């Protein structure tokens, strides 16, 4: 029998790119713009991965919905302004070894790739263009058109786009929301420790890795187990 296709789905912020400083600074801009004390860095990073309405509800649960919505809009505006101010030279920064991981997986004829990210379509498209990743991902799922993680909608859409069954798919992410989403969709889950949540928050992962070398080893083991 021919080898079955498999799908590797990546979170983006905190898994592929290190956007922590940008996120925290844009969040501070949004809050100070409305005269509200900004949340701590730890609180902001703990919520990375959620869609903006859910993140704001988590950061300021006592604020009315219209203020939470205004903060979400303020964050989007501040984030875009910071990107524009950075100019063409302000690229999203890959975590060490990530580009090599993407290149190795792309070279495998039986491996497809996708994204499932809490960022916007505009933000993801910017990263793909900056790093010449056109054609790397067969499905790109973003927060604009899905419920927030950990709802499995993004994974279901990626599976539908590629025709891969859940057993033959793996979600790679840095937060508990990614791991819970994977379990809800019936896929394998690999947690990475270089992002926004510490290892103890990744308890739902099938495997937790500390480096991209360990990630490639974990993927090779998963592929062997599928045979």
């Amino acid at each position: 029998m021919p080898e079955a296709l498999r799908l590797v789905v990546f979170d983006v912020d905190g898994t592929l790119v290190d956007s922590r400083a940008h996120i925290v600074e844009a969040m501070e801009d949004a809050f100070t713009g409305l005269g509200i004390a900004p949340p701590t860095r730890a609180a902001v990073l703990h919520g990375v991965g959620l869609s903006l309405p859910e993140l704001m509800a988590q950061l300021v649960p006592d604020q009315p919905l219209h203020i939470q919505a205004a903060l979400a809009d303020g964050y989007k505006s501040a984030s875009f302004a910071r990107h524009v101010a950075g100019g063409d030279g302000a690229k999203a920064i890959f975590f060490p070894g990530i580009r090599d991981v993407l290149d190795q997986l792309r070279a495998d004829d039986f491996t497809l790739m996708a994204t499932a990210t809490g960022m916007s379509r505009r933000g993801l498209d910017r990263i793909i263009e900056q790093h010449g990743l056109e054609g790397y991902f067969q499905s790109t799922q973003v927060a604009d058109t899905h419920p927030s993680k950990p709802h499995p909608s993004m994974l279901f859409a990626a599976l539908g786009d590629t025709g891969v069954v859940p057993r033959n798919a793996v979600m790679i992410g840095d937060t508990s929301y990614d791991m819970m989403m994977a379990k809800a969709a019936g896929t394998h889950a690999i947690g990475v420790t270089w992002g926004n949540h510490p290892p103890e928050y990744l308890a739902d992962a099938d495997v937790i890795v500390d480096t991209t070398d360990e990630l490639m080893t974990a993927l090779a083991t998963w592929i062997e187990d599928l045979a």
Side-chain angles (χ1 to χ4, degrees), residues 91-209:
K91 281 190 175 182
I93 302 170
F94 277 140
F95 284 103
I98 284 295
R99 182 56 187 254
D100 187 51
V101 167
L102 295 176
D103 288 341
Q104 288 185 61
L105 293 176
R106 191 190 189 201
D108 185 332
D109 291 338
F110 295 95
T111 298
L112 306 177
M113 289 190 288
T115 65
T117 174
M119 69 194 316
S120 67
R121 170 65 58 189
R122 181 170 66 181
L124 178 61
D125 287 349
R126 181 185 302 115
I127 290 172
I128 289 173
E129 181 181 1
Q130 285 177 344
H131 290 282
L133 296 176
E134 294 86 354
Y136 274 63
F137 302 108
Q138 283 66 56
S139 180
T140 53
Q141 304 304 321
V142 297
D144 298 350
T145 52
H146 290 282
S148 178
K149 297 176 185 180
H151 193 287
S153 174
M154 284 192 276
L155 285 181
F156 287 150
L159 292 168
D161 283 349
T162 56
V164 175
V165 298
R167 179 183 179 274
N168 289 352
V170 57
M171 176 69 204
I172 301 171
D174 68 306
T175 71
S176 59
Y177 316 119
D178 297 312
M179 302 302 100
M180 289 187 285
M181 178 175 64
K183 292 307 172 186
T187 73
H188 197 68
I190 298 177
V192 304
T193 61
W194 54 76
N196 294 300
H197 281 188
E200 57 267 27
Y201 282 80
L202 304 176
D204 286 323
D206 294 294
V207 182
I208 299 175
V209 298

Side-chain angles (χ1 to χ4, degrees), residues 63-85:
Q63 292 287 351
L65 289 177
H66 74 278
I67 294 297
Q68 293 177 9
L71 287 168
D73 288 341
Y75 172 82
K76 287 187 285 188
S77 296
S79 178
F80 181 69
R82 285 181 173 275
H83 281 302
V84 171

